[in-house]
Every structure is written in C-alpha cells, then in structure tokens.
Amino acid sequence: MSAVVLVGMSVREDATRDELAALAATRDDCTLAFLQLGEPSLPAELTRLAGQGCPRIVLVGVCLAPRAIARSWLRRVAAHWKRERTGPVPELVVAPGILRAIDPGRLDALVVAAAASPSGRVSGTEASLESPGWEDVPGHRHHVLVCRGPRCTARGSDETAAALGSALGEAGLGDDDVLVAQTGCLFPCNHAPLVVVHPDDVWYGRVGPEACRDIVEHHLLGGRPVQDRRLARSVRSEEEP
C-alpha cells in the first residue's frame, strides 16, 4: 500500500504536532515526520515505511511559519536517504506545493497533484546535503538562543522567535551579525519565554514581541543589555581540592 508522509519543515510544526497528527488522521494512508527538531525525522519515517514494504511514498511539506522553507529541502533530504539506503527503496514523490494551513482539502489536492506530476519523482541524483556556501562557521558577533521547550512554546515562544526575526530584519542584521538558533529546554522555565545572548552570557525572561525589539535595539545594536528583562545567572563555584 502506498503512503503519504506529512512533513513538518520548520521549527514551528513541532509545536503544532497535535494539529498535524489530527490532519494526518483524516487519511488512512498518512503519517507524520519532521525535517528539523521533531520526531520521527523524515529519514527515520522513510526507513520505517520501506521496511514495511511500502512501494510508493508521497511527501507533502507543511510550513506554518511566516517564512516558508524551500520545498527543495524535501527533495534533497529524500534523495540523500535514497542514496544511503541499502535495502529496497520505494518510489519517492514530492507533492508540487507546500501546505500552509491545517487544511484536509488542500492536503488531498496535493496528493492528487503528486500523482499527475512526474517531475515530483525523487531520482536520487538531486543536489547533495553539502554545498560550498555552507562550509564556514558564520562570522556572527552574537549567537542568540530562543528556547522552544514545552513551557516556552506553551507561553508563545513561536511568536517570540518570529518577532525576533522580524526585528533583526528591520535592523538590517543578518546571520553574519546575529545567528539565531531555536533550542530545546534551557531550564529556567518559570521565566518563559527565554532568550539567551552569547557571548555576553545574558539571559532574558518573559520575552514577548515588544521585548524582542528592545533586545535588538538596545543590546544587539547598542551593546547595552536590557536590564529589566535580564535574569540572574547562577555560577557554580568549584570545590577546593
């Protein structure tokens, strides 16, 4: 039996897992996987389905984040899996479009369109996961961590991450200035949502969209941490030998 894999492409999809699982459940042949952070990963789900003897797998990307992830990443990851696979390899097809909302009708339409689109077939000769542009560590001045653990996510860290990205863009700061990474739990969850700025080792709590603009303007641009959002940093003292 053929299968459909609904693939969460951005970090945001892991935070809406229940909604995506409900969407997948509207079809008897549909499962769920993720390109980043969430489990199962797309390669793990492809391996599971191939092990069950599935002859054909349609990949439907879903991106609920404001900025869509390029659909080409589905092809590149699927092609990498196909090249590395040692057992039987099912036919892999990428649907001609990305799902941008929890919409069963749109999901069905993309699956039908995939059947009529021979260009969606993954040959295994697609671009590799490596390219010259991704060789060097960025020359960023600051590394900003946005916690996406369960408590921070429940308190709106998805909106925090989006607002931070918008504020950085408005300030003209790119990855070579400020490298943003969304992480798992950073521990002081009572202060969610959390944002950490390195190498300054400055921790911020209860960071909503307005606070993001303050952090960008005063700290990342002006070099002055926002004191009323700053959390005390516990330092463990070393025991005497």
Side-chain angles (χ1 to χ4, degrees):
M1 178 179 176
S2 297
V4 174
V5 180
L6 189 62
V7 186
M9 300 180 66
S10 74
V11 176
R12 187 165 186 173
E13 281 72 66
D14 188 42
T16 56
R17 171 183 292 271
D18 291 345
E19 292 89 338
L20 291 179
L23 177 60
T26 62
R27 297 181 57 96
D28 293 336
D29 60 351
C30 192
T31 64
L32 183 60
F34 298 88
L35 275 186
Q36 48 185 319
L37 285 188
E39 295 181 358
S41 67
L42 176 56
E45 184 62 7
L46 292 176
T47 298
R48 186 186 73 82
L49 291 170
Q52 293 181 348
C54 183
R56 184 174 185 269
I57 303 172
V58 176
L59 306 178
V60 180
V62 54
C63 184
L64 305 178
R67 294 176 61 184
I69 306 298
R71 189 167 58 93
S72 61
W73 276 108
L74 279 178
R75 299 184 64 86
R76 292 178 78 157
V77 173
H80 175 78
W81 175 85
K82 184 173 183 177
R83 289 191 294 267
E84 296 290 314
R85 172 77 176 165
T86 56
V89 177
E91 179 186 12
L92 302 177
V93 181
V94 176
I98 293 178
L99 199 63
R100 300 285 289 159
I102 305 296
D103 185 344
R106 175 63 174 160
L107 171 59
D108 292 343
L110 286 173
V111 173
V112 171
S117 177
S119 63
R121 187 174 182 274
V122 177
S123 66
T125 61
E126 289 82 0
S128 73
L129 297 183
E130 298 180 359
S131 62
W134 300 99
E135 179 68 21
D136 299 325
V137 176
H140 53 282
R141 295 192 308 270
H142 290 97
H143 196 179
V144 178
L145 310 181
V146 180
C147 182
R148 291 301 305 274
R151 293 178 181 86
C152 283
T153 298
R155 288 183 171 174
S157 62
D158 55 339
E159 296 179 1
T160 298
L164 180 62
S166 296
L168 289 170
E170 291 169 5
L173 298 176
D175 288 346
D176 286 336
D177 304 297
V178 179
L179 184 62
V180 178
Q182 300 186 46
T183 75
C185 181
L186 291 174
F187 289 101
C189 309
N190 291 344
H191 303 282
L194 292 161
V195 169
V196 184
V197 178
H198 288 310
D200 303 346
D201 197 16
V202 174
W203 293 60
Y204 292 112
R206 296 181 173 85
V207 180
E210 191 62 38
C212 286
R213 286 185 280 273
D214 289 341
I215 291 169
V216 170
E217 179 182 354
H218 297 291
H219 189 168
L220 300 177
L221 278 175
R224 301 183 304 277
V226 181
Q227 296 299 334
D228 62 348
R229 297 281 179 181
R230 190 170 181 176
L231 301 177
R233 172 74 156 84
S234 298
V235 178
R236 178 177 297 176
S237 60
E238 296 184 2
E239 295 182 1
E240 293 295 331

